[in-house]
Amino acid sequence: MKMLVNGSNCHTQLQVPPGAESIKCAICLAVTRLTYPTTTARPPQSAAYSQLVQPSYRPSQPSPYNHAPLGPPPSAHGRKKAVIVGISYKSSKNEQKGCINDAKCMKYLLINKFRFPEASIIMLTEEEADPYKIPTKQNIRMALYWLVQGCQQGDSLFFHYSGHGSRRRNYNGDEADGYDECLCPLDYKTSGLIVDDEINATIVRPLPHGVKLHAIIDSCYSGTVLDLPYLCRMSRSGQYVWEDHRPRSGIWKGSNGGEAISISGCDDDQTSADTTALSKIASTGAMTFSFVRNEAIEHGNASTYGTLLNSMRNAIRSATSDKMGGSVVTSLVLLLTGGNLAGGLNQEPQLTACQPFDVYAKPFIL
C-alpha cells in the first residue's frame, strides 16, 4: 500500500518516500513534518505512519483513484487555471524535440490571448528549476489534483500535455477498442504510465455544474485519453456523428455536472508527429502548432469547435505540401524556441466530450 499523507497547508495527498522526516508540497510549497509514535522503537517501514497515512483507495469512492483533495474554497468565481506539461525525454532514445516548445507556446497563448493569470498556470517541463515542476508521474498527478481543487461555477480549467503517449490492454471492459490510453511521464520506465482511467477520475468526474474543462493532448494514441463518453467522428468533408463510448459495464465516465471537452492529437490507433513541417523553423507537435496557429491568427474565440477541428486537420494535411505558414505565429515560435529536426505526419485530431453538441453552433471559448 502506498504511504500517503495530507499536506499541512493545501491538504494535497503526498506520497511519502521511505524513511522521510518531512515532505514538501509542489503546489503550495508547505513543508509537512512527519511524526512517529513516541512509544518504543520506530516501527518497521511497512507499518510506519499508521496514524497519519490514508490508503490510496477509500472504499467510499467509486474508483481506486483519488479525486482532488479537499481544500479552502476559492476567493472568487470565474477563475482560470491551467496545467501545462511538456516532456522532451532528453538524452534518451525516445527524445522529443518539440514538446517543450509546445509548452512555451501554449503558455504564451493562454496568457496573452485568453487572459489566464501567469500565477494560475503550473508549468511542468525538464527546464524548470524547481524539482517539483519536473514532469514526473507524482508531480503531474499533484498538478492535476490542484487543477480541479476547490473549483466552482464560473471556473475555466485547462490541461495541455505534449509528450509520449502509449496504450495497454484493457481488462475491465470499459474500452471500445480493448485498450487503455496512457500518458508517459518523464519517469515512466520506473514509475509507470498515467492511465486514462486515472485521468478521468482525477479531472473529469469531480467537475461540478458550471465548471468548464478543456484538455489539449498532443501525444500518440490519445483519441480518448480522457475517457469521455462521446467521440465526434468527423469526415474530411466536415460531416460528423457522435459515437457513444460509454462502457457496457455502466460505469459513468462523465463529470459531476460540469463540462469536459478534449481535443487530442490523433485517433487511438494513430501516432502524433514531432516535426518542423508546420512552423518551418522549429520542432513542435503538429497538433499543438495547428491549435496555436488557429487561435493566434485565424478565428480565435469566434471559432466553433467544428471550424477549429477542421482548421487543425486541414493544416496538418497541407503541411507536407508546403502550404503552411503564417508569419505571426511563426515569429512567436521563433521567439520562444529554436530549430530542430522534422518528422512525418499521419494523424487526425479528435474531439471528445461529456455530452454531444452541435459542433458548428457551439463557440470555442476558454
Side-chain angles (χ1 to χ4, degrees):
M1 182 177 68
K2 294 177 182 177
M3 297 301 175
L4 304 176
V5 60
N6 286 338
S8 58
N9 182 38
C10 69
H11 307 295
T12 297
Q13 286 194 331
L14 310 174
Q15 186 171 342
V16 180
E21 300 290 342
S22 63
I23 188 168
K24 183 178 181 182
C25 177
I27 306 305
C28 69
L29 303 183
V31 175
T32 300
R33 302 200 177 278
L34 309 176
T35 59
Y36 295 87
T38 57
T39 54
T40 56
R42 178 178 293 188
Q45 192 63 49
S46 61
Y49 319 128
S50 59
Q51 299 301 315
L52 43 92
V53 171
Q54 298 181 15
S56 59
Y57 171 66
R58 286 174 281 180
S60 60
Q61 291 184 336
S63 84
Y65 304 110
N66 289 325
H67 295 169
L70 297 176
S75 58
H77 293 289
R79 298 177 312 163
K80 292 187 173 186
K81 299 171 64 178
V83 170
I84 299 175
V85 180
I87 313 177
S88 69
Y89 314 91
K90 189 174 181 180
S91 300
S92 75
K93 66 179 182 179
N94 299 314
E95 183 171 355
Q96 294 281 80
K97 302 297 184 180
C99 294
I100 295 179
N101 295 344
D102 290 345
K104 291 177 180 178
C105 289
M106 190 64 74
K107 181 179 180 180
Y108 183 93
L109 183 72
L110 290 184
I111 294 172
N112 293 280
K113 176 71 177 182
F114 295 106
R115 305 305 175 193
F116 276 66
E118 186 169 5
S120 295
I121 299 175
I122 288 184
M123 186 90 158
L124 301 177
T125 76
E126 291 120 301
E127 293 185 354
E128 299 300 309
D130 185 343
Y132 294 99
K133 300 298 171 61
I134 302 300
T136 63
K137 184 175 183 178
Q138 180 65 8
N139 286 346
I140 294 174
R141 279 174 159 175
M142 291 175 65
L144 293 179
Y145 287 147
W146 167 85
L147 183 64
V148 298
Q149 182 178 4
C151 62
Q152 57 183 289
Q153 187 169 1
D155 288 356
S156 177
L157 313 179
F158 187 88
F159 173 43
H160 174 238
Y161 172 89
S162 180
H164 281 304
S166 185
R167 59 179 178 169
R168 69 183 192 186
R169 178 67 68 180
N170 169 262
Y171 294 103
N172 64 1
D174 69 348
E175 294 285 349
D177 63 356
Y179 289 91
D180 283 316
E181 288 69 48
C182 314
L183 303 181
C184 301
L186 180 62
D187 58 345
Y188 73 94
K189 290 185 178 180
T190 56
S191 299
L193 305 169
I194 300 178
V195 184
D196 53 8
D197 294 325
E198 177 177 357
I199 299 168
N200 181 275
T202 303
I203 62 174
V204 175
R205 264 184 263 176
L207 295 174
H209 180 75
V211 175
K212 180 168 54 178
L213 167 72
H214 285 91
I216 305 295
I217 309 296
D218 198 348
S219 67
C220 299
Y221 315 115
S222 56
T224 61
V225 74
L226 259 66
D227 249 5
L228 297 176
Y230 298 95
L231 182 144
C232 179
R233 189 67 71 186
M234 182 176 287
S235 69
R236 290 203 169 199
S237 64
Q239 296 179 320
Y240 72 93
V241 295
W242 284 97
E243 291 182 354
D244 189 342
H245 281 239
R246 288 176 293 179
R248 289 173 294 178
S249 63
I251 297 175
W252 175 238
K253 292 288 189 173
S255 70
N256 191 31
E259 184 176 25
I261 297 174
S262 174
I263 301 176
S264 54
C266 61
D267 209 345
D268 283 341
D269 61 353
Q270 294 179 329
T271 57
S272 292
D274 183 53
T275 179
T276 59
L278 285 91
S279 75
K280 307 303 181 186
I281 56 170
S283 286
T284 63
M287 178 265 196
T288 297
F289 186 89
S290 65
F291 173 80
V292 170
R293 180 184 191 275
N294 183 85
E295 292 308 307
I297 65 174
E298 288 191 352
H299 303 291
N301 287 344
S303 65
T304 65
Y305 288 89
T307 56
L308 171 61
L309 192 62
N310 274 310
S311 175
M312 292 171 63
R313 287 182 166 196
N314 290 334
I316 291 173
R317 290 181 194 129
S318 64
T320 53
S321 60
D322 201 30
K323 294 180 181 178
M324 270 298 290
S327 59
V328 176
V329 75
T330 301
S331 297
L332 169 61
V333 175
L334 182 60
L335 176 66
L336 298 176
T337 71
N340 276 304
L341 302 176
L345 304 181
N346 181 23
Q347 61 188 98
E348 292 185 322
Q350 303 293 320
L351 173 69
T352 58
C354 281
Q355 298 290 344
F357 56 87
D358 185 344
V359 300
Y360 293 112
K362 186 178 180 68
F364 176 81
I365 300 175
L366 293 183

